[in-house]
Amino acid sequence: MNRLSTLAAALAALGLLTLSCPAGAQQAAATAGAAAKPDQLQEIVVTAQKTAQSASKVAASLSTITGDDLIDKGITDASGLTQEVPNVQIGAGNRGGMEITIRGIGNSDPTERGDPDTAFHIDGVYIGRTEGAGAALFDLERVEVLRGPQGTLYGRNANAGAINVITNKPSKKYEGEVDATVGTYATRNVNAMVNVPISGSFSLRAVASTMQHAGYAPTANAADGFTESLDDQDSLSGRLEGLYRFSSHMSWLMTVDGTHNQGAGQAAYVITPGSLPTSRAQTPQVQGSVNDSGLGVTSEFKADLGFADFTYLFGHRKTTRDDILTNGPAPSTYAPYSDAFMQNSHELRLNSARAGRLQWVAGLYYFKEVGSNINLAVLLPPAFGGGLAIQFIQNPAISQSKAVFGQATYALAPDWRATLGLRSNADAKSRVGETIGGNGKPIGNIGNLAHGTWNKLTYKLGVEHDLAGGQMAYATFATGYKAGGYNDGNGVVGDPNYNPSLYYKPETITSTEAGVKGHYFDHRLELGISAFHYAYTDLQVGGVVNNSLVTLNAAKAAVDGLEFEGRAIVGEDGMLNFALGTLNARYNQYSAPDGSSLSGQALDRAPKATLTLGYTQNWDLQGGSRISATLGTRYSSSYRLTDPGTATRAPLSFIQKANTNSSVSVAYWGANQKWHAEIYGKSLENTIRINSIASVNGTDYGYLAEPRTFGVRGVFSF
């Protein structure tokens, strides 16, 4: 289906739906802006467009999961969002990073050379390293998932979309909560929160979380006899927030958070085309280990200036890693890895503060990340003589981004609005380091030197129309941009470390999207439908050349798709959630490192169809207590994972078969609703599913999603 027919089909379906529900839609419009009745869906206020507005009025593909929904569905990290959002896949990838793919667009390079395609934020602060996306999701107000390029408001690394994690803020109410879980694989999770109003103007909120489970990959038959299983978890994190209200027009929020992860690390499964893992058992060469720490500081100052709302947001984050990465069964290589990354970001923003025909936001943004003492050594197994195969040392690797942005929406008529957004990006990356050969000596005389700068103006054009029944139709044309970068080596011709493909180009996208969203049947049904077409130029794709991981540019790629998403009240005490996504994501022009054409091949992790269904039923009991039961499932059609090959080896394709992934929970709530206990089961089918792959020295490895788990959970609030 081409772009025009896709958009036309979607809009036709949307128009029929709107016309078929006039009475319910009019009633929904009458209740908009007012408190919902007990049998109506609650409006969710979001800040996805850098200003507070109803989620149903955001002219973009947006999914919002509230903090209560996260608790009810047992979602404890970003990977759980896969079950809730159409055309989104999130899971652990190479080197412990979180791989996020939205509408078939993602990046599997977790190193200092690569950038994600999805902008991941915590309380508005961009998280540059993908490991940060694995943070525990606890004591949250909501999670917002924007699908499609967000080049105007979010910048250079938001071609696929943006994910915003919004924590609960300190309030003027004394309250607390303890949440404990025990389950299979020796799962032991404890989360605790307390909110204390120190005075009428100052409040503190403290959160602590510990999450532990034994490894999903048993290693009883490992080569050296160790028994600590891989794919385990042992994490401790905390967050302290202080909110000072100078007046009703001015406030300052300060947040300090920290995390520490340890354990045996990831399980890497050797895979070949047509032969994917059938068992989780592992026989690694060496004992893997994880010892990672993170520290974050966020400062947000807000003031009402009368003509505009002013926000200054500062974010500081530091992460350190000291790991041993295992690479499958013996004999195999293994890799000690360490690094330290520090990032600082600043955002100054003004938002229109008063109702009127013109609503606008404008700002300045600056980001700098410095990677220090980055050290990856690939060691040979004893069967091949042991010792060093190759080593990469970078110190420092620096990435900077500056931007000026603005977006304005003007009411052309009471029911028509037009939007224009612009963002000017200036990016720079540099790296000093060296590659060391198996003899322990640096390769070449120059080392790994690189420095590149890129500039790009991105924009968004949009139109919105309020329909007669209270729904909204919209259409947008937007561009996105992802900075270029460098591969290992240098640009000095004649040096043994010279790399003719040292730099890769920026990735750009143009997106056309149309949709309709709104409420129906007296606010008992919320529905959004969208159709989209992407055209990519120089799409960045990972590969391996001369045993080194590199980023390549696929000249052209395209993505077409449809999405249906909504929720509905069923009867008096039932809630149905549903999401359907279709994709046709393919390379239009792409030559692999060996010259093979991959034109026409599907993009990785881009199933042609995904369907999510979830249903919750409540039963009220005498005395005010209740029982609730939730059943959810997600179907994914098959999708491809690709090793692009090398300069001398043809590409390889791995196919993850179609599968379903289901969960169930039953909870009992006490009469005062202050406590509840539940039993749950996740990944009930226990299907072995590959999240991502990586190629190391010519061998391909797969990283798996979680297996079936059961548990018991108790929550007490005060």
Side-chain angles (χ1 to χ4, degrees):
M1 184 179 288
N2 62 33
R3 170 173 53 180
L4 293 178
S5 60
T6 298
L7 296 176
L11 291 176
L14 293 167
L16 289 173
L17 176 63
T18 301
L19 292 173
S20 67
C21 307
Q26 291 168 1
Q27 291 172 333
T31 62
K37 300 175 184 177
D39 60 346
Q40 293 179 330
L41 294 167
Q42 298 287 332
E43 282 281 7
I44 301 174
V45 176
V46 299
T47 53
Q49 299 293 299
K50 304 284 188 178
T51 187
Q53 60 185 139
S54 169
S56 63
K57 298 300 181 183
V58 177
S61 295
L62 169 68
S63 298
T64 305
I65 303 96
T66 66
D68 289 341
D69 286 339
L70 293 171
I71 292 174
D72 292 343
K73 296 174 181 179
I75 298 175
T76 58
D77 61 31
S79 64
L81 301 177
T82 301
Q83 293 292 107
E84 305 299 318
V85 184
N87 284 331
V88 169
Q89 289 192 210
I90 305 175
N94 187 21
R95 300 193 194 179
M98 193 67 72
E99 288 200 18
I100 303 174
T101 302
I102 299 179
R103 293 176 171 175
I105 304 301
N107 184 19
S108 59
D109 183 359
T111 71
E112 75 285 352
R113 299 184 307 268
D115 287 316
D117 278 282
T118 298
F120 191 91
H121 297 79
I122 298 178
D123 286 332
V125 175
Y126 174 69
I127 308 300
R129 295 292 100 198
T130 58
E131 305 92 82
L137 301 183
F138 176 65
D139 192 41
L140 300 185
E141 180 180 330
R142 65 188 182 277
V143 177
E144 304 170 354
V145 182
L146 281 158
R147 302 183 297 281
Q150 308 298 319
T152 299
L153 296 178
Y154 290 95
R156 63 191 180 112
N157 292 334
N159 279 355
I163 297 177
N164 302 319
V165 175
I166 294 94
T167 64
N168 283 321
K169 303 302 184 293
S171 68
K172 297 182 179 181
K173 176 183 176 182
Y174 178 75
E175 60 181 340
E177 183 175 284
V178 177
D179 180 335
T181 300
V182 295
T184 50
Y185 293 96
T187 295
R188 300 180 303 279
N189 300 336
V190 179
N191 304 308
M193 177 276 294
V194 62
N195 186 94
V196 180
I198 305 300
S199 67
S201 58
F202 182 56
S203 300
L204 284 174
R205 193 178 191 95
V207 177
S209 174
T210 177
M211 304 184 70
Q212 296 177 316
H213 66 72
Y216 300 139
T219 57
N221 298 319
D224 63 358
F226 67 82
T227 59
E228 187 173 354
S229 298
L230 298 171
D231 279 345
D232 60 343
Q233 182 179 27
D234 186 358
S235 66
L236 175 65
S237 59
R239 183 173 71 242
L240 177 64
E241 296 178 281
L243 177 61
Y244 188 81
R245 304 169 187 85
F246 298 94
S247 68
S248 60
H249 303 291
M250 187 181 301
S251 65
W252 180 33
L253 175 69
M254 174 69 78
T255 304
V256 179
D257 66 84
T259 183
H260 182 245
N261 298 316
Q262 56 187 3
Q266 284 182 293
Y269 295 83
V270 175
I271 57 175
T272 58
S275 179
L276 303 183
T278 57
S279 168
R280 292 183 180 270
Q282 280 277 287
T283 56
Q285 179 71 26
V286 299
Q287 172 72 69
S289 67
V290 170
N291 183 20
D292 304 342
S293 297
L295 173 68
V297 177
T298 302
S299 174
E300 184 180 48
F301 177 80
K302 292 184 174 182
D304 182 351
L305 304 181
F307 74 98
D309 291 326
F310 171 79
T311 301
Y312 168 56
L313 179 62
F314 167 76
H316 167 82
R317 303 202 72 84
K318 183 177 181 180
T319 61
T320 59
R321 300 185 63 183
D322 185 11
D323 304 341
I324 296 178
L325 311 175
T326 62
N327 290 326
S332 65
T333 61
Y334 58 99
Y337 176 74
S338 61
D339 67 28
F341 281 91
M342 182 180 71
Q343 70 168 68
N344 289 316
S345 62
H346 306 263
E347 182 170 304
L348 288 169
R349 191 170 68 246
L350 289 173
N351 294 69
S352 53
R354 301 292 181 263
R357 299 184 70 176
L358 178 64
Q359 298 295 306
W360 54 271
V361 57
L364 302 171
Y365 181 76
Y366 176 75
F367 170 88
K368 183 176 182 179
E369 178 190 68
V370 179
S372 305
N373 300 313
I374 304 168
N375 191 335
L376 173 66
V378 180
L379 304 181
L380 296 171
F384 290 88
L388 181 68
I390 196 168
Q391 184 176 12
F392 303 94
I393 300 175
Q394 321 297 344
N395 188 30
I398 301 174
S399 177
Q400 295 185 80
S401 183
K402 304 174 185 177
V404 180
F405 64 91
Q407 183 167 298
T409 299
Y410 184 75
L412 304 171
D415 56 351
W416 283 93
R417 295 173 297 280
T419 296
L420 170 64
L422 295 171
R423 188 182 186 103
S424 177
N425 304 274
D427 294 289
K429 295 182 181 180
S430 64
R431 184 264 321 279
V432 176
E434 58 187 3
T435 301
I436 298 176
N439 59 3
K441 297 180 180 180
I443 298 175
N445 304 311
I446 308 299
N448 293 334
L449 296 179
H451 181 274
T453 59
W454 301 269
N455 298 277
K456 185 69 175 179
L457 179 69
T458 56
Y459 61 90
K460 174 182 178 180
L461 301 172
V463 61
E464 306 167 26
H465 178 51
D466 295 328
L467 302 175
Q471 293 78 43
M472 179 186 72
Y474 69 90
T476 60
F477 182 81
T479 63
Y481 150 80
K482 183 179 171 185
Y486 50 75
N487 295 305
D488 289 320
N490 62 56
V492 180
V493 178
D495 187 85
N497 205 22
Y498 168 67
N499 184 353
S501 303
L502 179 62
Y503 295 100
Y504 56 88
K505 301 175 184 178
E507 169 187 297
T508 59
I509 176 179
T510 57
S511 165
T512 306
E513 180 170 327
V516 171
K517 56 173 59 178
H519 293 89
Y520 307 86
F521 303 115
D522 194 21
H523 251 59
R524 293 177 63 87
L525 169 65
E526 179 182 275
L527 181 63
I529 309 179
S530 61
F532 55 90
H533 170 79
Y534 294 168
Y536 271 92
T537 301
D538 293 320
L539 178 70
Q540 294 170 7
V541 182
V544 177
V545 177
N546 296 330
N547 291 325
S548 295
L549 180 68
V550 300
T551 296
L552 309 169
N553 291 106
K556 295 183 183 298
V559 183
D560 295 290
L562 295 169
E563 292 172 350
F564 297 74
E565 182 180 22
R567 53 186 181 138
I569 294 176
V570 180
E572 294 185 359
D573 298 299
M575 176 68 76
L576 174 68
N577 296 279
F578 53 91
L580 170 67
T582 70
L583 279 179
N584 179 16
R586 70 277 183 194
Y587 297 113
N588 285 344
Q589 184 179 341
Y590 175 34
S591 294
D594 73 333
S596 301
S597 174
L598 297 184
S599 301
Q601 178 175 296
L603 301 184
D604 280 10
R605 291 158 56 94
K608 288 188 176 298
T610 57
L611 173 64
T612 293
L613 293 173
Y615 183 74
T616 298
Q617 180 66 48
N618 290 282
W619 294 273
D620 293 328
L621 306 177
Q622 290 185 349
S625 59
R626 66 183 171 95
I627 294 175
S628 66
T630 298
L631 176 64
T633 189
R634 179 181 188 268
Y635 165 80
S636 171
S637 63
S638 62
Y639 56 85
R640 183 186 302 271
L641 296 149
T642 306
D643 171 1
T646 70
T648 57
R649 180 169 61 84
L652 299 175
S653 288
F654 307 88
I655 303 299
Q656 170 62 57
K657 295 181 179 179
N659 63 87
T660 59
N661 187 33
S662 305
S663 62
V664 64
S665 67
V666 178
Y668 175 84
W669 295 74
N672 59 7
Q673 304 296 301
K674 291 292 186 180
W675 67 271
H676 75 270
E678 72 174 75
I679 57 175
Y680 69 83
K682 298 181 182 180
S683 299
L684 298 180
E685 295 86 345
N686 205 29
T687 303
I688 292 181
R689 293 172 288 121
I690 297 183
N691 276 331
S692 60
I693 67 171
S695 180
V696 181
N697 287 348
T699 301
D700 290 296
Y701 299 93
Y703 302 94
L704 305 184
E706 295 180 354
R708 179 170 54 214
T709 58
F710 297 99
V712 179
R713 181 169 171 238
V715 180
F716 175 72
S717 303
F718 57 89

